[in-house]
Amino acid sequence: MSTTDVVAPATTDELVAALARATPMTRLLAGGTDLVNDIRRPGRQTDLLIDLSHMPALSYVRHDGDMLRVGAMTTFTELQADPLVHEHAFCLERAASQVGSAQIRNVATIGGNVANASPCADGATALVALSAEVTTLDGSGHRATRPLRDVLLGSGRTALTDGEAIVEFAFAALGNEHRSAFAKIGWRTAVSVARLSMALVVRFDPVAEVLSEVRVGLGAVGETAFRDAVLEGLLEGRPADEESARILAEGCADAVRRSIPGRYSLPYKERAAVGLAYDAWNALRICPPCEPAWG
Amino acid sequence: MTEDLRYVGKSYPVHDVAQKVTGELVYGSDLNFPGMLHAKLLLSPIAHGMVRSVDSSRAEALPGVIRVFSHLNSPADTYCRARIYPGQECAIDETLFSEHVRFVGDRVAAVVATSQAIAEAAVALIEVDYEELPALLTTEQALERADVPIHADGNLLYEHHIESGERVDTSGGVLVSSTTGTPRVHHAALEPHVCVAQGHSTGGLTVWTTSQGVYGVRTVIAELLGLEYHRLRVIKVPMGGSFGGKTEFILEPVTAFLAHETRRAVKLLFDREECIRATMVRPATETTIRTACAADGRLLDFEAATTLDSGGYAASTPDYADHMCEKVTRLYRLPHYDHRCQVVYTNTPVAGAARGWGAPEMITAVEIHLDKVARRLRLDPVDLRLKNLIQPFDIDPVTDMSLGDARVVECLERGAVAFDWTARRARARGKGRYRRGVGVACGAHKNGMFGHFPEASNMALKMNEDGTFELSASLHEVGCGVVTTMKIIVAEVLGVHPDLIAAGEADTSTTPFDYGTFGSRMTYVAGACAEVTAKKLKSAILAAAADVLQAPVEELVAREGVVYVAGAEARSVAFRDIARFGDMKHLPAIRAAVTYYATSNPGSYSVQFAEVEVDCATGLTAVTDFLAVGDVGRAINRGMVKAQFQGAVQMGIGYALYEHVDVDEAGRSGVDGFKNYHMVNAPDMPDIDVLLVEHEGDHGPFGAKSVGEIAMVPTAAAVVNAVNNALGTELSDLPLIPDRIIAALAASAGGGA
Amino acid sequence: MELLLTVNGTVWEVSARPTARLIDVLRDQMGLSGTKEGCGEGECGACTVIVDGKAVNSCVMLAVQALGKEVLTVEGLAASGELDTLQQKFVEQGAVQCGFCTPGMLMSAKALLMANPLPSDQDIRTALAGNLCRCTGYKNIVAAVRAASGQETVAMEVPSEKEELLADLAVPGLAPAKLDEGGE
């Protein structure tokens, strides 16, 4: 029954001032779809709640040279409808469209999805495959940028310090030789946490006719979303044929076995991983051919 | 006949639809009273143990806390949450607060405070010391460990044995055996459980409840608290669904106690997790069936053994077991039928009433079994069933009662044509990732409780001074449109529009005794009562009209609220004028009261056809098409009857594919909300086609029979049979979650390759 | 803390704890009990309201998050006293049984129609995926939303994503993969 102070910064300066007050009992409120229940749990003490939902400056998708920059407070509904995301980060669009329900996507943000650090976060899985970098801001006004994989430490654990807010994700925009996809297995067609998810990014060289720059993000098979180098190596340099799909599928099952040995859900997940991989592979085919090279 | 009906058979919304779409309807969970207190329960975190001590001092010290209760300061008297009339035989094994806790979620203590937040905070401050006992989490464990009695009389709560017919020579026949497991299921009414009670300074009590039977609530509370019945008023308030989950009295006794002790208004509102853990689940069952069949498919012998998991308390499960033994012979002609049922206490969530009252559990086992028989005999599942289904007016050998004008064969035949069964079944199932299959299942249910209870209903109907009508009946609207149904029936008899009839809901102070709105008894029994009551009132109207018009009653006809002298239609008097005349001239008031006794309990039937597509890679099953055929006798409210099927099929698909409340090795369920309790949502629901078989060979109003429960009885089996058809498997452990489908495919690939 | 909230076009000044959820303020402070709570975790949608044109779960949103925004609840649909077309169609199509999910369904459907006046049945089902109903099987609800959009006949189904994927799209360089787990 302790008191909680709420600040709702509207500008970066106000945000920095708010972050400067942060203690270990301070929470950042993005969409709130997970946090609202968390802070209301009996015994949970929150001294300061920093409501980021009045920060329009943190909600954007924009091109910056070769990079795509996504503000942390961009909602999944916005990502799902964004033309730049559609063209240059298709896997993120697909992941966004499969997060929760319309009501959840309307408020849940990509920043919150990552900061919440759920192993089955769809947005995080896509960003991992996109090799995203995270930019944070702290109470001294300092901005720091580091790879997403260094931020996600485990289930519910991040490397973010008290008073450090995610403000932006950035990753190389996918060009017209790239394709990406996202696939997910839940309990239902819609509105289900992922039991398994995969984000797949490949470059298809039209001259050599082989796959390169393969990046595979896996979700819900371990403590946090991660890229699997072994799996990626299997596809590198291969033609985009059915055999590659098979290799991806078997490699995916292997990756699951390596990630959750002995886990109760393993017998299911190692088999479902095959279907997941085929889903992701096939979904590459609906990835829009990108517009003529940007920049 | 049908074409003569003006109001019966048309479609109407539920009676309170306008208040529902505007949000103005005040549900139980919306109730607030001045000075109302809020209660929060402390629920046992362990599955089995003894409460050694309860220290509530810190909770009591919290500002805003009024009282804290536990077994230390509350009656130790036991009661049965399922008892619906005084003296009814039932298992009386529950107390308001437990010293011996028997499942995760058992009531240990309660805080009454000035706000919900304070009550919640205070509950967290109560310190309870438990002595843990071995947790018996399966019926096998419970039966093995006689040294760990969950209740004083041991863990075998109840046994029931039914045998009918004579054994026949089955030599040369085909013997098939199967075991089917049906899961513990959360009812998942969208509105959580709630009760509000007001303790009066006079010692009386008023209880507002989202119950399906106010008179049962009254008798249980009155006897537990030692109150005279006339000082305890129980009022049914609008509720957001029940599906049997609010049939038994879970929150009412404890809320009444808290209000009575504090002499205040107290509200007890569960959250979703509490609803899942600490109200009631559909019982988990396991049924083994052994049949012997002639080579042509005729069933010669049918033996079944069922074990039903009662959970920590008995609730209604013994009665549930009785009813499970009364389903098969309602559906199939069996020369010999033998069914043993045992009900076992375990340290798991309490099981009890659920839509279908044993029929979905038993019929699921029967219909999965029959598909196995069909495979052995290489018979089409439809043909196998046609050889064995009961015929109209068969006598059920178990109950020795007529099944009435039972049209299950017609349901199956018409459904098979409408679904294009033969062609669809012949279609390729596919060899790739996605496999298609079709399944059929038949189901039988009852119409009220005749044969078990003195089944009766009471109603009173009066004409107001302006020619409108008021029906006084103990109705409980749970969302199925029972109030509208009664209005339509009365309207049809009186020849006036249903909008001119008001029908209130149950209130022990103002509406006559009735068991409640459950047991598939509303349309068939209460509806018949409404019909008889309306006919009696119509006679009174005509008698008064005869007085006004100075014409013999036999010459009068009533039409659209006006009474005419036949052949001399200029001589007429409107109902309104009859009412006014009656008042002015001190004629007898125009009212009628009737006690209607049921004299039959025919079968209600449904046959359902499912088409599924199974993703062999992920184990996810999509129901792609579904037809539900129902022998409902007569649809009183056509749109709502069809909607009952659509909703029931949704629940049945969930039963087959998604829903289960499992417990871990500590007896705690991982299911604590809708995040992990998955029901079918809109994207996964196919459009359900509904085909109604109508006739009027039974005693219900205009031939009508029950619909709400029978509608979901065969659903799960139809879906499971379709999956088995698609995959060539013999899955029979529900629900068919992806893990089970993948495991079965892996096993068959490993064994057969 | 004191909050100024705009709900159904009216500015309300309420006093609430900082961690009060929007649903608590609507129901307990404003008496707008049409918004229902079925699960408390944003899964059932009974608490759906519209904030700045978008459907949200008011049980997982703090009241402070709605500051400066326009909140529309079920009570705001028939504010003039006349039922909104959507409400009318819910009545006509038999989309209401126990009615507890109805306000949330209406608000999700309203938000859909505000953004997409001619939704396909699949659009409707996707928009309502976060609204659970235990009574109806959704058929009449989908029909009511379709009817409210002026589409009286069954809308054309767009092919499902799966069909799209399995269709033989000509994509240079990428061969479609078919998973075959052997025969029967």
Side-chain angles (χ1 to χ4, degrees):
Chain A
M1 308 290 282
S2 61
T3 54
T4 305
D5 196 8
V6 181
V7 287
T11 66
T12 304
D13 287 346
E14 287 172 17
L15 174 59
V16 169
L19 294 170
R21 293 172 53 196
T23 75
M25 291 194 296
T26 296
R27 304 297 296 273
L28 296 175
L29 177 66
T33 54
D34 285 302
L35 189 87
V36 166
N37 271 332
D38 193 48
I39 58 172
R40 293 167 51 83
R41 237 159 236 142
R44 190 74 87 193
Q45 306 263 315
T46 304
D47 60 353
L48 174 64
L49 200 55
I50 304 176
D51 177 7
L52 302 174
S53 60
H54 301 271
M55 291 274 307
L58 291 185
S59 174
Y60 57 85
V61 177
R62 66 170 172 256
H63 235 147
D64 178 11
D66 291 352
M67 304 294 280
L68 212 59
R69 296 190 181 276
V70 178
M73 284 298 291
T74 311
T75 66
F76 288 109
T77 297
E78 288 161 349
L79 288 175
Q80 192 185 342
D82 190 277
L84 291 174
V85 173
H86 181 71
E87 285 178 26
H88 304 295
F90 188 62
C91 61
L92 182 58
E93 178 201 297
R94 301 304 298 167
S97 73
Q98 292 176 59
V99 170
S101 61
Q103 293 97 309
I104 296 293
R105 292 191 295 273
N106 281 337
V107 288
T109 66
I110 187 68
N113 193 248
V114 167
N116 195 42
S118 161
C120 42
D122 297 326
T125 306
L127 287 176
V128 161
L130 289 165
S131 306
E133 291 180 331
V134 180
T135 298
T136 59
L137 180 67
D138 68 17
S140 61
H142 176 69
R143 277 174 196 272
T145 297
R146 59 199 138 158
L148 173 59
R149 64 168 185 274
D150 292 350
V151 173
L152 294 172
L153 300 182
S155 180
R157 290 186 299 123
T158 66
L160 299 173
T161 57
D162 298 327
E164 182 177 15
I166 298 176
V167 291
E168 185 182 88
F169 299 94
F171 47 85
L174 301 181
N176 57 359
E177 291 181 359
H178 286 90
R179 291 186 171 275
S180 73
F182 176 83
K184 162 176 170 178
I185 296 171
W187 291 98
R188 292 186 289 224
T189 308
V191 195
S192 172
V193 294
R195 299 189 71 195
L196 270 180
S197 65
M198 175 190 278
L200 184 57
V201 178
V202 298
R203 178 171 165 267
F204 181 70
D205 184 329
V207 181
E209 294 195 327
V210 292
L211 301 172
S212 61
E213 299 174 27
V214 178
R215 286 172 274 165
V216 185
L218 292 175
V221 276
E223 287 280 289
T224 180
F226 63 96
R227 270 179 62 186
D228 192 277
V230 178
L231 191 46
E232 292 170 353
L234 294 174
L235 287 189
E236 200 67 34
R238 281 203 50 85
D241 59 6
E242 192 159 353
E243 178 63 7
S244 292
R246 197 187 59 73
I247 289 169
L248 176 70
E250 286 179 6
C252 185
D254 270 339
V256 168
R257 277 187 285 273
R258 273 185 273 114
S259 303
I260 51 170
R263 190 84 63 86
Y264 174 75
S265 58
L266 177 61
Y268 172 73
K269 288 191 174 182
E270 65 174 326
R271 286 175 176 274
V274 172
L276 175 79
Y278 276 97
D279 283 345
W281 178 269
N282 283 326
L284 289 174
R285 305 171 67 237
I286 56 168
C287 175
C290 296
E291 291 301 308
W294 22 262
Chain B
M1 177 66 197
T2 317
E3 49 277 12
D4 297 339
L5 297 173
R6 278 190 71 102
Y7 303 111
V8 164
K10 311 286 190 300
S11 296
Y12 308 80
V14 291
H15 75 284
D16 45 7
V17 67
Q19 295 161 282
K20 284 173 173 171
V21 296
T22 54
E24 74 181 65
L25 187 66
V26 177
Y27 288 75
S29 52
D30 300 328
L31 283 177
N32 278 304
F33 292 105
M36 187 176 80
L37 303 173
H38 297 262
K40 177 85 178 173
L41 300 185
L42 173 62
L43 302 173
S44 172
I46 64 167
H48 199 194
M50 299 301 292
V51 173
R52 267 202 292 239
S53 66
V54 179
D55 180 356
S56 56
S57 54
R58 287 174 63 215
E60 278 159 11
L62 197 67
V65 171
I66 305 296
R67 294 280 295 278
V68 179
F69 295 94
S70 69
H71 76 279
L72 297 170
N73 55 353
S74 64
D77 306 80
T78 49
Y79 64 93
C80 173
R81 63 168 72 183
R83 205 194 71 189
I84 57 174
Y85 60 86
Q88 183 188 3
E89 209 176 298
C90 50
I92 295 169
D93 63 1
E94 194 168 346
T95 54
L96 286 172
F97 299 101
S98 300
E99 183 179 8
H100 181 174
V101 293
R102 297 174 169 99
F103 69 102
V104 173
D106 207 348
R107 291 182 298 271
V108 174
V111 171
V112 183
T114 52
S115 79
Q116 183 72 23
I118 293 170
E120 281 172 19
V123 158
L125 297 176
I126 301 174
E127 285 166 33
V128 182
D129 185 27
Y130 299 94
E131 176 190 339
E132 290 213 41
L133 293 169
L136 309 178
L137 303 175
T138 64
T139 55
E140 293 82 8
Q141 283 175 9
L143 291 174
E144 272 167 26
R145 295 295 303 268
D147 59 315
V148 185
I150 295 171
H151 287 273
D153 290 339
N155 298 336
L156 178 58
L157 164 62
Y158 181 72
E159 284 181 291
H160 188 62
H161 179 217
I162 282 284
E163 185 171 12
S164 70
E166 302 284 335
R167 280 185 197 280
V168 297
D169 179 15
T170 58
S171 56
V174 176
L175 306 179
V176 176
S177 111
S178 71
T179 298
T180 293
T182 68
R184 228 178 256 124
V185 165
H186 173 48
H187 298 77
L190 257 284
E191 181 182 31
H193 285 241
V194 63
C195 184
V196 181
Q198 169 85 56
H200 303 295
S201 55
T202 56
L205 256 182
T206 305
V207 178
W208 293 268
T209 171
T210 56
S211 168
Q212 293 180 236
V214 293
Y215 278 94
V217 173
R218 187 174 70 167
T219 175
V220 168
I221 294 174
E223 302 200 4
L224 184 66
L225 301 184
L227 285 173
E228 295 160 295
Y229 280 40
H230 74 298
R231 293 179 3 115
L232 170 56
R233 180 178 184 184
V234 182
I235 302 168
K236 190 270 175 187
V237 291
M239 69 202 291
S242 175
F243 313 104
K246 295 166 187 169
T247 300
E248 300 181 25
F249 320 130
I250 304 166
L251 300 194
E252 291 91 342
V254 67
T255 312
F257 168 74
L258 299 174
H260 190 54
E261 286 293 308
T262 57
R263 298 289 195 270
R264 297 279 292 271
V266 175
K267 181 177 190 175
L268 176 57
L269 171 63
F270 265 7
D271 62 23
R272 182 56 53 184
E273 180 176 354
E274 291 167 325
C275 287
I276 293 171
R277 294 196 194 285
T279 62
M280 217 163 60
V281 290
R282 179 185 287 281
T285 68
E286 187 175 276
T287 297
T288 296
I289 298 174
R290 290 190 183 82
T291 54
C293 259
D296 67 357
R298 275 177 305 114
L299 286 162
L300 302 174
D301 197 25
F302 192 109
E303 281 187 22
T306 298
T307 301
L308 189 154
D309 185 343
S310 168
Y313 294 90
S316 60
T317 51
D319 192 61
Y320 219 80
D322 290 352
H323 280 82
M324 284 186 75
C325 296
E326 291 184 11
K327 299 303 170 197
V328 191
T329 54
R330 274 186 179 270
L331 190 55
Y332 294 110
R333 285 179 165 175
L334 303 173
H336 179 247
Y337 170 62
D338 184 294
H339 196 164
R340 287 175 192 277
C341 213
Q342 57 178 357
V343 182
V344 182
Y345 284 124
T346 63
N347 296 119
T348 66
V350 182
R355 188 184 205 170
W357 201 274
E361 290 85 348
M362 190 59 207
I363 294 295
T364 297
V366 171
E367 292 298 286
I368 291 173
H369 179 87
L370 281 192
D371 261 35
K372 193 169 178 180
V373 172
R375 280 191 291 275
R376 294 294 179 279
L377 294 174
R378 300 190 177 278
L379 277 177
D380 184 289
V382 168
D383 294 338
L384 173 69
R385 286 169 173 84
L386 284 173
K387 286 176 198 290
N388 291 290
L389 286 169
I390 55 92
Q391 298 290 331
F393 302 105
D394 273 8
I395 301 294
D396 176 353
V398 167
T399 61
D400 211 23
M401 289 191 295
S402 170
L403 295 173
D405 195 1
R407 303 288 188 91
V408 62
V409 169
E410 189 178 337
C411 288
L412 180 55
E413 288 176 341
R414 285 176 57 184
V417 172
F419 193 70
D420 201 10
W421 168 261
T422 308
R424 283 205 200 195
R425 193 166 165 84
R427 202 177 298 161
R429 288 178 264 172
K431 294 189 170 187
R433 174 170 173 177
Y434 298 97
R435 313 261 175 102
R436 289 204 170 226
V438 289
V440 63
C442 302
H445 199 52
K446 57 183 185 140
N447 279 272
M449 304 184 291
F450 178 74
H452 286 270
F453 293 161
E455 176 60 287
S457 188
N458 295 294
M459 289 186 186
L461 181 63
K462 68 177 180 185
M463 181 156 75
N464 290 322
E465 297 87 316
D466 64 349
T468 58
F469 298 87
E470 287 182 55
L471 179 69
S472 172
S474 286
L475 303 176
H476 304 74
E477 178 64 66
V478 292
C480 315
V482 64
V483 170
T484 302
T485 299
M486 297 305 147
K487 287 166 66 168
I488 296 167
I489 292 166
V490 170
E492 188 68 54
V493 173
L494 295 176
V496 299
H497 194 278
D499 283 353
L500 297 180
I501 296 151
E505 293 196 59
D507 176 342
T508 56
S509 287
T510 60
T511 60
F513 179 85
D514 191 89
Y515 294 119
T517 300
F518 47 72
S520 281
R521 59 186 296 278
M522 292 322 290
T523 299
Y524 194 74
V525 180
C529 183
E531 184 185 14
V532 172
T533 309
K535 281 178 174 165
K536 190 172 176 188
L537 188 80
K538 189 173 175 184
S539 298
I541 294 171
L542 290 177
D547 200 6
V548 175
L549 294 171
Q550 292 297 302
V553 167
E554 310 80 66
E555 290 179 14
L556 300 182
V557 288
R559 207 166 52 236
E560 288 177 51
V562 180
V563 180
Y564 301 90
V565 179
E569 305 230 330
R571 289 173 66 197
S572 68
V573 60
F575 281 9
R576 177 187 0 195
D577 296 324
I578 297 169
R580 290 191 176 158
F581 185 82
D583 270 2
M584 312 258 297
K585 299 287 181 188
H586 306 293
L587 287 175
I590 311 257
R591 62 176 62 154
V594 165
T595 298
Y596 171 85
Y597 294 93
T599 56
S600 60
N601 191 342
S604 277
Y605 295 91
S606 179
V607 177
Q608 302 187 356
F609 299 83
E611 180 191 70
V612 302
E613 183 182 82
V614 185
D615 180 344
C616 294
T618 63
L620 287 160
T621 300
V623 179
T624 50
D625 197 11
F626 203 98
L627 170 68
V629 190
D631 165 15
V632 298
R634 166 86 54 223
I636 300 290
N637 181 350
R638 188 165 305 277
M640 190 54 71
V641 167
K642 291 191 169 185
Q644 284 296 297
F645 276 97
Q646 287 153 6
V649 169
Q650 175 195 7
M651 189 175 269
I653 292 174
Y655 196 36
L657 298 179
Y658 303 100
E659 301 181 27
H660 60 149
V661 179
D662 282 349
V663 295
D664 64 16
E665 55 282 2
R668 190 174 176 82
S669 179
V671 173
D672 59 3
F674 288 154
K675 262 200 171 73
N676 42 36
Y677 189 82
H678 300 102
M679 296 186 281
V680 189
N681 58 9
D684 284 345
M685 258 314 275
D687 264 349
I688 306 302
D689 289 318
V690 181
L691 184 64
L692 301 179
V693 171
E694 295 182 84
H695 53 92
E696 46 189 52
D698 294 303
H699 299 124
F702 307 98
K705 298 196 284 190
S706 62
V707 56
E709 297 194 279
I710 180 60
M712 84 157 280
V713 171
T715 310
V719 172
V720 172
N721 287 343
V723 170
N724 283 332
N725 176 242
L727 303 179
T729 48
E730 294 197 329
L731 291 161
S732 62
D733 255 333
L734 274 62
L736 304 186
I737 55 171
D739 307 61
R740 284 179 172 161
I741 286 183
I742 290 299
L745 287 171
S748 64
Chain C
M1 62 192 289
E2 301 302 311
L3 298 176
L4 280 179
L5 289 174
T6 307
V7 179
N8 301 331
T10 302
V11 179
W12 296 70
E13 187 177 350
V14 295
S15 174
R17 296 156 59 88
T19 52
R21 304 173 303 172
L22 180 56
I23 190 173
D24 299 329
V25 171
L26 293 173
R27 286 174 57 86
D28 302 341
Q29 313 258 330
M30 302 178 184
L32 296 172
S33 59
T35 300
K36 304 300 184 193
E37 181 162 2
C39 72
E41 55 176 355
E43 287 286 322
C44 79
C47 67
T48 304
V49 299
I50 295 177
V51 175
D52 276 358
K54 291 198 162 66
V56 304
N57 292 311
S58 62
C59 77
V60 286
M61 176 178 258
L62 296 184
V64 293
Q65 290 176 272
L67 286 175
K69 297 178 177 173
E70 297 273 346
V71 180
L72 180 67
T73 73
V74 69
E75 289 89 348
L77 286 183
S80 65
E82 210 162 291
L83 293 187
D84 184 270
T85 308
L86 196 54
Q87 292 170 307
Q88 192 58 46
K89 295 301 175 188
F90 267 60
V91 173
E92 289 169 12
Q93 297 287 332
V96 179
Q97 290 190 29
C98 88
F100 203 76
C101 76
T102 304
M105 284 285 179
L106 285 166
M107 301 318 286
S108 281
K110 183 75 182 173
L112 168 70
L113 294 178
M114 284 159 61
N116 178 2
L118 287 174
S120 69
D121 277 13
Q122 188 172 293
D123 293 336
I124 296 169
R125 287 180 184 273
T126 300
L128 300 182
N131 292 80
L132 296 173
C133 171
R134 192 62 155 170
C135 298
T136 65
Y138 306 103
K139 183 171 181 165
N140 292 350
I141 293 172
V142 172
V145 179
R146 187 197 310 134
S149 73
Q151 305 175 89
E152 293 300 337
T153 53
V154 177
M156 277 289 282
E157 285 294 314
V158 299
S160 76
E161 189 177 299
K162 192 170 71 198
E163 287 165 296
E164 216 172 294
L165 288 173
L166 293 176
D168 198 13
L169 296 178
V171 178
L174 189 74
K178 281 195 179 143
L179 172 62
D180 194 313
E181 290 227 320
E184 284 138 89

